[in-house]
Amino acid sequence: MSKENKGIGFFERYLTIWVTLCIIAGIAIGQWIPAVPETLGKWEYANVSIPIAVLIWLMIYPMMLKVDFQSVRNVGKRPKGILITCVTNWLIKPFTMFGIAWFFFVVFKTFIPTALADQYLAGAVLLGAAPCTAMVFVWSYLTKGDAAYTLVQVAVNDLIILVAYVPIVGFLLGIGGIAIPWATLILSVVLFVVIPLVAGIFTRILVVRR
């Protein structure tokens, strides 16, 4: 029996280069072909870009296909890892992200316009409260982790994000004195979590049945 050779392929190995090239291409298009971002900017609702939502669906949907929510029933068998993950993702990471961002924007407030500092702080809060499902699968694969247990952790976090993301972000933005865009927060959860999650669940059910 041949042992499975795990590792990263050519595309993943040089991901930093591809991201850098995409950033350069995006800046170039914005500078020399402004009609493109202007046109895409018209497709926006509640400060959420619909074209970006579609691209994120293409990225998240394949990952959602791997999530088996029936595995949530196995949470109680090995609770330690699940507990550490949930406490880190929902009780530590969002608040430390906010604290670090707030500290730097207070220390360097003379160098950063107030409006821009608020935008950076809001961005830090939004990122800090959003666990990355895709990278969990990637790192579990590269470290030869327990794939079944990884699915349990991802399934639990995806369920928590449905109810915890909006309240935590709203609370931290309120502390930071930033107007809370409730419509944007709720729409973001629906577009970036609920829709690809539901699509992945139903596709997985159909594929498994066949």
Side-chain angles (χ1 to χ4, degrees), residues 31 47 59 61 71 75 139 170:
Q31 290 292 323
N47 295 320
M59 179 183 69
Y61 175 67
S71 62
V75 169
W139 285 112

Side-chain angles (χ1 to χ4, degrees), residues 114-131:
T114 302
L116 183 60
D118 288 344
Q119 293 180 20
Y120 280 132
L121 182 60
V125 170
L126 293 171
L127 289 174

Side-chain angles (χ1 to χ4, degrees), residues 51-64 191 196:
I52 290 179
V54 173
L55 294 176
I56 291 180
W57 289 341
L58 295 177
M59 179 183 69
I60 296 179
Y61 175 67
M63 295 298 172
M64 292 300 186
L191 286 179

Side-chain angles (χ1 to χ4, degrees), residues 163-196:
V163 296
Y165 183 79
V166 172
I168 289 177
V169 171
F171 173 73
L172 293 176
L173 291 179
I175 293 178
I178 301 173
I180 304 172
W182 292 111
T184 302
L185 292 178
I186 296 174
L187 180 61
S188 296
V189 172
V190 172
L191 286 179
F192 303 138
V193 180
V194 175
I195 291 179

Side-chain angles (χ1 to χ4, degrees), residues 1-82:
M1 180 184 297
S2 61
K3 185 182 293 184
E4 182 182 0
N5 183 23
K6 291 190 176 183
I8 56 178
F10 175 80
F11 179 80
E12 293 83 1
R13 186 181 300 276
Y14 298 101
L15 185 60
T16 303
I17 296 177
W18 315 139
V19 172
T20 302
L21 292 175
C22 288
I23 293 174
I24 294 173
I27 294 174
I29 292 173
Q31 290 292 323
W32 293 309
I33 316 177
V36 174
E38 289 175 1
T39 302
L40 294 176
K42 295 178 182 178
W43 296 86
E44 185 179 279
Y45 182 78
N47 295 320
V48 176
S49 172
I50 303 303
I52 290 179
V54 173
L55 294 176
I56 291 180
W57 289 341
L58 295 177
M59 179 183 69
I60 296 179
Y61 175 67
M63 295 298 172
M64 292 300 186
L65 286 174
K66 296 183 178 183
V67 179
D68 180 10
F69 282 92
Q70 294 183 1
S71 62
V72 175
R73 294 177 299 182
N74 300 322
V75 169
K77 294 181 179 179
R78 296 164 63 185
K80 186 176 180 179
I82 298 293

Side-chain angles (χ1 to χ4, degrees), residues 92-172:
I92 297 177
K93 183 165 64 72
F95 301 95
T96 53
M97 192 82 165
F98 168 81
I100 293 171
W102 181 84
F103 172 76
F104 277 100
F105 292 132
V106 170
V107 172
F108 300 103
K109 64 181 179 181
T110 56
F111 302 99
I112 305 175
T114 302
L116 183 60
D118 288 344
Q119 293 180 20
Y120 280 132
L121 182 60
V125 170
L126 293 171
L127 289 174
C132 183
T133 299
M135 290 310 300
V136 172
F137 285 118
V138 171
W139 285 112
S140 176
Y141 176 80
L142 293 178
T143 58
K144 301 180 181 179
D146 186 335
Y149 196 60
T150 299
L151 286 176
V152 174
Q153 290 187 324
V154 171
V156 171
N157 274 280
D158 283 344
L159 293 175
I160 292 176
I161 197 174
L162 295 176
V163 296
Y165 183 79
V166 172
I168 289 177
V169 171
F171 173 73
L172 293 176

